[in-house]
Amino acid sequence: MKTIAVANQKGGCAKTTTAINLAAGIAMQDKRVLLVDLDPQGHACLGLGIDPNRIPTSIYDVLMDKDMSMSNVIVHSKISGLDLIPSNFKLGTAELDLRATAGREMILSKKLGLLGQHYDYCIIDCAPALSLLMLNILIASDEVIITVQAHYYALESLKRMLGTLHVARKQFGPCNVRALGLLLTLVEEGTVLCRQVQQQLREFFGSLVFETVIHRSVRLAESPSAGEPVLTYAPKDKGAVEYRAMAREVIERIARLSRVPV
Ligand code: ADP
Ligand code: MG
C-alpha cells in the first residue's frame, strides 16, 4: 500500500477536494483505495455523503484505544473499491488526549500499516495545521501531494510545508516521506496573477509541479453538497476530466519513482 497525504498548512486550497477526487479517480482505475479523513471538520466524509456526526466510531477512537483497529471503523463508499476512515469534531481534542501517551507520533503509522495488504493506495486528507496529527501523518506517509492555490501567498505556505517535511525526515528516524508533487488548484486561466504564479512555480520547482492543473469549476464546488466526488456527480465536467488526469499522473509518477535504476 502506498500512502499519500494531501497537505498544506494553509486552509481552503482544495486539499479535501483533491483527496476525495484523487481517491475516487484511483479507485475507478480498479485499485483498492482507502481515504482517511484526518480533519476534525469531517469534510472528506461529507464529500462522500457520510454524515460525520452520525457515525458511531471514527479515527479518533482508533487513535485513542490501543486495542481498536482501523478495520473497526471502515465505511464503504458508493464507489466500488473506495473505503473511508471517517473523522468528526472529536478528533479536535486528540492532541490533548494523547499528551501522556508514549510513542504518540507513531500511532497512525502502526495502525495503518496493518491494513497494508487490503489496499493499493491510502489517501489522507489533512487539516491545515502543524500538529501532532500532522506529524503522525508525515510518519505514516510515503508521499505528500501539496495543493497550491495560484495566488500571491502560495509560495510562502509552500516553503513552510516543504520545510516541515524536511524537519519531520530529520527528526523522526522512521520518516522517509517525500514530496510527490505540487498540484495547482483553483486556477483561473484568464488572470495575469494566476499565470505568473504558475510560471514562477514551474521555473522554481520544475517537474515537481504536476502537469495537470485543476481549474475553478462550479460543478466541483457543488459536488460535496450532493455527497459525491465530481467524478460521479458530473463525469464530463472539466473538473472531473482534470482529476482523472491527475489520478493517472499520480499512479505513473509513483511507478516511475519506485523503479529501481539498474
Ligand atoms: P481545504 O480542504 O484545503 O480547506 P477544500 O477542498 O475544502 O479546501 O476547498 C475549499 C473550497 O473551495 C470548498 O468550498 C470547495 O468546494 C471549493 N473548491 C475546491 N476546489 C475547487 C475548484 N477547482 N473549483 C471550484 N471550487 C473549488
Ligand atoms: Mg479540508
Side-chain angles (χ1 to χ4, degrees):
M1 179 172 82
K2 277 281 172 205
T3 302
I4 310 169
V6 181
N8 193 326
Q9 282 149 253
K10 195 180 161 306
C13 53
K15 291 183 290 300
T16 302
T17 307
T18 299
I20 291 172
N21 286 290
L22 178 62
I26 297 178
M28 285 168 157
Q29 293 196 35
D30 283 336
K31 307 275 191 242
R32 300 163 304 167
V33 183
L34 180 67
L35 175 62
V36 183
D37 190 346
L38 264 162
D39 186 336
Q41 296 185 96
H43 286 171
C45 292
L46 284 170
L48 286 183
I50 291 151
D51 183 345
N53 298 316
R54 283 174 179 247
I55 42 169
T57 48
S58 69
I59 184 79
Y60 173 80
D61 303 284
V62 181
L63 294 176
M64 297 308 297
D65 181 348
K66 67 174 174 31
D67 297 321
M68 193 161 187
S69 85
M70 289 281 179
S71 49
N72 293 120
V73 302
I74 287 174
V75 181
H76 301 299
S77 81
K78 286 177 224 154
I79 294 171
S80 165
L82 176 60
D83 289 347
L84 172 78
I85 302 273
S87 163
N88 60 24
F89 67 96
K90 283 193 198 167
L91 190 63
T93 64
E95 180 133 12
L96 265 179
D97 299 339
L98 288 170
R99 67 189 178 281
T101 307
R104 57 191 176 279
E105 68 278 355
M106 303 287 299
I107 302 174
L108 185 68
S109 171
K110 286 190 178 143
K111 299 232 177 181
L112 268 184
L114 298 175
L115 286 181
Q117 288 178 348
H118 301 286
Y119 294 95
D120 302 305
Y121 291 87
C122 169
I123 310 288
I124 305 180
D125 182 29
C126 304
L130 184 54
S131 58
L132 173 65
L133 287 180
M134 192 65 216
L135 191 54
N136 261 276
I137 292 168
L138 293 179
I139 292 173
S141 299
D142 303 296
E143 319 278 354
V144 178
I145 291 171
I146 305 172
T147 54
V148 187
Q149 188 179 352
H151 66 34
Y152 180 69
Y153 297 117
L155 279 175
E156 287 310 308
S157 61
L158 192 50
K159 280 186 211 154
R160 251 201 329 273
M161 189 66 226
L162 289 168
T164 303
L165 287 191
H166 184 69
V167 170
R169 267 198 310 266
K170 234 171 109 182
Q171 295 193 350
F172 294 90
C175 181
N176 282 317
V177 70
R178 66 180 168 188
L180 183 68
L182 313 177
L183 176 70
L184 276 150
T185 59
L186 293 149
V187 172
E188 290 166 86
E189 204 63 85
T191 70
V192 176
L193 179 63
C194 238
R195 269 204 307 277
Q196 279 175 350
V197 173
Q198 259 204 71
Q199 199 185 345
Q200 225 180 357
L201 282 179
R202 291 197 190 278
E203 271 168 21
F204 197 76
F205 293 105
S207 60
L208 192 61
V209 184
F210 285 107
E211 269 171 45
T212 311
V213 300
I214 312 293
H215 289 87
R216 266 191 192 278
S217 135
V218 174
R219 306 293 266 166
L220 245 176
E222 280 171 9
S223 56
S225 62
E228 284 184 59
V230 76
L231 297 201
T232 54
Y233 176 69
K236 292 189 179 144
D237 180 67
K238 193 173 185 182
V241 172
E242 288 171 347
Y243 272 116
R244 273 196 297 270
M246 165 69 183
R248 281 195 301 273
E249 204 181 339
V250 166
I251 292 176
E252 280 164 19
R253 194 173 278 209
I254 288 181
R256 199 170 60 237
L257 293 172
S258 309
R259 237 171 266 145
V260 183
V262 283

